[in-house]
Amino acid sequence: MNQDNFRTITPYVPGIQPGFADMIKLNTNENPYPPSPKVIEASEKFNAADLRLYPSVDVGPLRDALAAYHGFDRGCVFVGVGSDDVLATIFQACFNSGRALLFPEITYSFYEVWARLYNIKAEKIPLRSDFTIDADAYIGVENGGIVIANPNAPTSIAMSGSDIERIIVNNPDNVVVIDEAYVDFGGESVLEFVRKYDNLIVVRTFSKSRSLAGARIGYCVACPELISVIEAVRNSINSYTNNRPSIEMGVASVGDEKYFRDTIAKVIKTRERLTGELKELGFNVLPSSANFLFAEPPAMLSAAEVYEGLAEKHIYVRHFKIKGIDNFLRITVGTDEQIDTMLSEVRKMLKK
Ligand code: PMP
């Protein structure tokens, strides 16, 4: 076979998915709690005979539910198969100027993968030495668009809404994408700014705060003109994206605000306890506004050693072999019980 026919690309590598029944999985920022009982009910009520029919072209019922939930017209909402799908579609639709797309040097590594895949020039902007994002570095720089995760991943640190607003206001000719995958756990959302700024796209996911990673639902909110551009690209690839059961489960999730708020509060409470206990053990823990921590072990142990030691016990956290962050671990906030098991293994390693 002639290899010239093939596209070679280094893909994004997600956290490993080992199949052990006894494992504690704290490596992909999933929610440790199940989705709302209303979601479970919707999945049980789903009539599999309906699968002979295609789902609605524009994810209709879920798009309407999200528009009503946030108080926007349906023309301001686009729904995709997880926020990865939404972001990939935005990359194809909105960054075609030939100028460089700006994003932080340390951030969700899929941004760089999509830039390469779609031949978008990219410029990575260094973080400050404390791992925060410097808003001024995105102002007065020629660019063809900006993507920022807020809170950022894997650092877990949030940026203020006013800093993001400065970036939006000072880049009126380019699209600014704010990826709010983790915002429900404590970040300041800029969703309301969509009413004021037509260059802003806010991306959200059901995978984290709504415990629906397996249903693959993401969406974005922006002015109708931008949503039409994004929809045109999606409808040039695949008209039917989200499947029927996940649309119904998504609608049920949006309808259970109390469960949503209660689950978030539980995760935040455990996060704060975990932060305190890791600090007591000598870890340097960055201030988290997400459902995960980014933490550096005390000097006697490297992050790689802690990662290996935990993996031997079937406890999985994430370790990135990337310069500048290779002595950090990204630890998803699990249940209190999971966190206690992990902490007791860490204590054994530290002989404490
Ligand atoms: N953005 C960020 C910052 C993420 O960490 C993730 C999760 N890997 C995503 C987007 C994509 O999540 P999903 O496709 O499950 O919505």
Side-chain angles (χ1 to χ4, degrees):
M1 186 89 71
N2 185 348
Q3 301 289 316
D4 293 350
N5 289 320
F6 302 142
R7 177 75 187 268
T8 46
I9 186 147
T10 310
Y12 171 73
V13 184
I16 54 169
Q17 305 278 12
F20 304 112
D22 66 339
M23 70 178 170
I24 295 183
K25 196 166 174 299
L26 307 173
N27 69 340
T28 46
N29 297 344
E30 289 144 329
N31 198 307
Y33 300 107
S36 151
K38 290 194 177 167
V39 172
I40 315 261
E41 198 184 307
S43 77
E44 283 165 0
K45 273 198 195 147
F46 179 73
N47 181 5
D50 288 346
L51 288 174
R52 73 184 180 81
L53 300 167
Y54 282 111
S56 72
V57 182
D58 63 354
V59 203
L62 184 50
R63 183 182 190 181
D64 289 338
L66 286 166
Y69 180 74
H70 290 301
F72 280 86
D73 289 339
R74 76 190 311 273
C76 296
V77 179
F78 170 86
V79 184
V81 185
S83 55
D84 282 340
D85 178 45
V86 175
L87 285 159
T89 313
I90 292 170
F91 270 58
Q92 292 171 84
C94 300
F95 302 136
N96 293 292
S97 69
R99 296 188 300 273
L101 175 68
L102 311 183
F103 50 83
E105 186 167 16
I106 296 171
T107 191
Y108 185 35
S109 51
F110 228 142
Y111 302 156
E112 194 176 0
V113 173
W114 289 315
R116 271 203 309 270
L117 180 64
Y118 303 127
N119 294 316
I120 299 164
K121 225 193 309 168
E123 190 180 328
K124 295 194 251 177
I125 310 288
L127 297 181
R128 295 195 189 99
S129 61
D130 62 358
F131 295 100
T132 56
I133 293 173
D134 178 8
D136 292 321
Y138 297 80
I139 293 170
V141 184
E142 200 199 46
N143 69 79
I146 294 170
V147 184
I148 289 178
N150 187 48
N152 196 14
T155 64
S156 79
I157 300 175
M159 212 178 168
S160 72
S162 56
D163 268 355
I164 294 177
E165 187 168 20
R166 279 199 300 123
I167 294 175
I168 299 166
V169 171
N170 286 289
N171 288 281
D173 296 329
N174 297 315
V175 169
V176 177
V177 175
I178 304 298
D179 176 355
E180 295 192 348
Y182 301 103
V183 82
D184 296 320
F185 299 102
E188 203 181 325
S189 174
V190 292
L191 197 89
E192 288 301 314
F193 291 166
V194 169
R195 299 182 204 280
K196 277 202 277 183
Y197 303 115
D198 62 6
N199 61 328
L200 169 64
I201 305 178
V202 175
V203 181
R204 294 276 187 94
T205 180
F206 280 46
S207 299
K208 318 293 176 184
S209 52
R210 293 190 179 275
S211 309
L212 279 171
R216 310 303 298 125
I217 303 170
Y219 63 103
C220 67
V221 182
C223 71
E225 191 190 345
L226 278 179
I227 294 293
S228 306
V229 171
I230 298 164
E231 271 193 306
V233 169
R234 192 264 304 280
N235 292 336
S236 306
I237 301 172
N238 181 2
S239 338
Y240 305 105
T241 49
N242 301 68
N243 62 61
R244 283 180 168 269
S246 75
I247 293 173
E248 292 193 12
M249 289 187 270
V251 171
S253 172
V254 175
D256 195 350
E257 185 68 10
K258 181 171 184 321
Y259 184 88
F260 174 63
R261 293 285 155 212
D262 289 352
T263 308
I264 290 168
K266 279 202 283 189
V267 171
I268 292 175
K269 193 162 171 233
T270 308
R271 176 186 76 204
E272 295 310 305
R273 181 167 77 83
L274 177 59
T275 303
E277 301 218 21
L278 286 173
K279 281 185 176 171
E280 254 174 48
L281 291 173
F283 278 72
N284 167 29
V285 186
L286 301 191
S288 173
S289 296
N291 67 338
F292 59 91
L293 297 182
F294 204 48
E296 189 179 21
M300 64 176 287
L301 276 178
S302 69
E305 284 167 327
V306 178
Y307 173 84
E308 292 298 337
L310 289 175
E312 269 174 32
K313 302 285 174 189
H314 292 179
I315 301 169
Y316 296 94
V317 297
R318 192 98 201 253
H319 177 232
F320 298 95
K321 290 180 185 137
I322 295 173
K323 199 171 153 265
I325 56 167
D326 56 355
N327 202 34
F328 278 81
L329 295 169
R330 194 194 67 188
I331 307 168
T332 305
V333 177
T335 60
D336 282 302
E337 198 191 344
Q338 290 175 323
I339 291 307
D340 286 336
T341 309
M342 185 204 64
L343 283 169
S344 92
E345 291 304 329
V346 172
R347 280 194 194 95
K348 280 185 218 161
M349 281 182 238
L350 290 165
K351 303 196 172 48
K352 282 201 177 175

